Amino acid sequence: MPLSMVNAGQEVILKRINWGPKMKKRLQDMGLTPGVKLSVISSNTNGAFIINVRGSRLVLGGVVTQQILVDVA
């Protein structure tokens, strides 16, 4: 399921990123690699997400969260 479907407070495991090579590399450089656990801290109605990954908080836009596929942890 896409990350955009995950509710605040849930933990998920990243499966893959469906994006072009530049954006995929940028997200991987921020710690978003397959198999990593993510915690959704906040999900805004306009699509902005705050996630915790590897002890750091990241803010992702709604378009990006639709391209990140995850499984429930």
Side-chain angles (χ1 to χ4, degrees):
M1 86 175 120
L3 182 59
S4 60
M5 302 284 289
V6 178
N7 296 322
Q10 279 189 292
E11 281 195 353
V12 293
I13 298 172
L14 193 141
K15 282 177 46 178
R16 73 174 180 266
I17 299 169
N18 291 333
W19 209 281
K22 277 187 164 183
M23 185 61 156
K24 191 174 186 177
K25 171 83 168 94
R26 186 172 184 181
L27 292 170
Q28 288 175 341
D29 288 347
M30 291 190 286
L32 294 172
T33 55
V36 71
K37 268 192 179 178
L38 311 171
S39 300
V40 177
I41 297 169
S42 173
S43 57
N44 198 336
T45 55
N46 67 0
F49 270 62
I50 300 173
I51 61 169
N52 186 344
V53 58
R54 302 179 194 262
S56 297
R57 289 184 179 195
L58 299 176
V59 178
L60 301 173
V63 175
V64 175
T65 61
Q66 291 173 1
Q67 302 302 319
I68 298 174
L69 301 179
V70 297
D71 278 331
V72 176

